[in-house]
Amino acid sequence: MSSVARKWPWSKKNVHGDDPYWDFFINTPPADLTNTVTELIRNAPAGNIFPTKADIHTPEITSQHVKEMARYFGAEWTGIAKLERHHTDQPDSYPFAVLCAVQAEYNPRVSPGIGGQVPVQNGLFITFVLSAWIRELGFRAHVESPLEAEALAARAGIGRLEAEGRLVTLQFGDKVYVADAICTDLPLIADG
Amino acid sequence: MALTSEQTANQTNGRGVTQDAYADTEFPTPYLGRSVRIVDKVVNVDMKQSPHPKNQRGELGKPLFNWYHNTVSKDPLTRVSAPNHFADRRHFLSTVINQAAKGAINPRRVEVSDPVAMTRHIKAVAHYMGADVVAVAKAHPSFLYAGGRYVQDGSAQDAYESNTPEDLTRRFPYILVATTAWDYDKLQAHRHFIGDAAYHVSQIKGNMILKALEGYIKELGYTALRGVAIPQAAGVASGVGELGRNGLLINKHFGARIHMPDPIMTDLPLVADEPVDIGVDDFCKICRKCANTCPTNSITFDDKVVQNGVEKYKINWLTCYKLRPYVHDHWSSCLTCATVCPYTKPNVWWRDLAVKALHTCPYVARPALVHALKWIDDRFWGVARNHRVRWLDYDSGVKPGEHACTVSGCTASHAGQEQEVTGDFGFYAPLKENTNRFVKR
């Protein structure tokens, strides 16, 4: 599957410059939110955890497999962060967060059009399927929007935080969108 | 084209063949390339008479009905990505997307003064969202289903369901086809959960892209109908590919490893693409690799036949379908015919060169070129595909029914998985000679 069209960070060429409708696609907010898939994926309820735990490997290998699976779903960068607020005496807390990032040619925070939200759409696809897969392995997984995904991604070594709190990566600068964090109790090894 | 019912086929098979079946109507017979030809009036087929809906109603027998409704896959990824074999429906993204409410058409329509620019734009939008192949077909009544709308695991009701195919074609003259390709390396493990991952993950991604594209067309202020048009018909008409002996659309970049999901019928002003000639017709006459390797002998060795007014190779969909309950523990989508197709290769320059050679070769010289290319394919990729493929902790080198951890460096204890796996040979169940006992013809 192809992802977002690649463009080198130093390239000045606007590949959509001669498209009279491109600005509408990127910047015009939808008149009816039902016409976007982002809302319906975000609001979809999480499914049940499969009753039988899968026969998993060592935490190092399981971490590699989770990252490989996320890459297959379209993530360009993946990382695992340890959640500090995890307490072993609280059964509902999660020890790890899986972070996935995709390339974002336009900043979704200031590009409300369906096109501007494509990185969000791609991120939601990854987090939906990846968290469902972890639950089907028999472990808890919860996509948590309010979590500071960019700060966690920086802690997981995907990039570093700039002054305004946005994640910056070596390859694509700030043209990166970090999807919502997947909190899980799958035995993993944290990065960073 | 459409998977038609036998009854519908029999209604038209005995008719005399005319050169232009629609010569006297306002919709002339569309040219679909060299692989498919409309030679007689096409009876529009109700999608509810196709395999999946028939099986949902229990018309294909108990084993298939039970397999469709009451089985949960052993594989966690299949439970997430494949229709009907999930433990929890909420984990299947296509259900979430296809059952969602329909959005309204934006009353502030974006006026299109240049359909060429809009066509370029909508293709760029689809590619930007992740589609691998995008094309536009000029609609024709023969491309449409009869009866109501059909979207698997969802609904697609609209205000035009009582319209005839002719009325729909007048009102919505274009069909937008956008699709995703399957991962080449994983596809090599056909009849295995690895191959399923190639197929099903790109399928749910494609469903999401089409839903987003449908919403975007409505935001532009135009209508986007789903569950109306036959994907293969729109695919050949728009030049997505040519129809092969295996009943699959063969694309010039990806071969047979593309989905043909439900396309979008629209009144958005566009410019239609033309059918392509990449030599599939010449290749399929000679090659027959898919027919040789099909585990259920569902692909014909014979010439094309006229099926419901359409001249094409006719596969036996029922025998293809009937194997599935018996192999449920090992895979859910066979994919053998797509994998062995010589056109199914990585999307690289030498593959483009071969397709270009076929495209530019005069018709009379094509059989010689096909023989040469097939010899190369047999010599370097094999007459059948049985490579060992490893991905995550999946390994097609482990015999079906046995368990072994072949992940390098894994020190975890796995009960009952002590077998050693050696060699570079993949096991793909069941062997062709063993399928006769499952599938009676």
Side-chain angles (χ1 to χ4, degrees), chain B residues 325-381:
Chain B
Y326 302 101
V327 293
H328 179 70
D329 285 352
H330 308 298
W331 46 265
S332 69
S333 296
C334 174
L335 311 176
T336 299
C337 58
T339 312
V340 298
C341 178
Y343 280 87
T344 304
K345 293 281 182 296
N347 188 16
V348 289
W349 67 269
W350 44 262
R351 188 195 170 288
D352 289 346
L353 191 67
V355 173
K356 184 95 176 167
L358 278 163
H359 174 69
T360 53
C361 185
Y363 294 151
V364 289
R366 283 190 185 182
L369 180 59
V370 168
H371 278 294
L373 290 171
K374 183 171 182 293
W375 180 86
I376 293 170
D377 193 72
D378 288 345
R379 175 73 181 78
F380 292 100
W381 282 270

Side-chain angles (χ1 to χ4, degrees), chain B residues 178-197:
Chain B
T179 187
T180 47
W182 318 334
D183 184 273
Y184 175 79
D185 294 327
K186 293 178 186 62
L187 180 63
Q188 299 312 299
H190 56 114
R191 309 209 304 263
H192 196 279
F193 286 130
I194 303 175
D196 285 345

Side-chain angles (χ1 to χ4, degrees), chain B residues 240-260:
Chain B
V240 167
E242 291 187 276
L243 199 69
R245 181 180 286 275
N246 51 13
L248 302 173
L249 224 63
I250 296 173
N251 175 261
K252 66 178 180 179
H253 296 301
F254 302 101
R257 60 184 177 103
I258 55 166
H259 287 286
M260 284 316 295

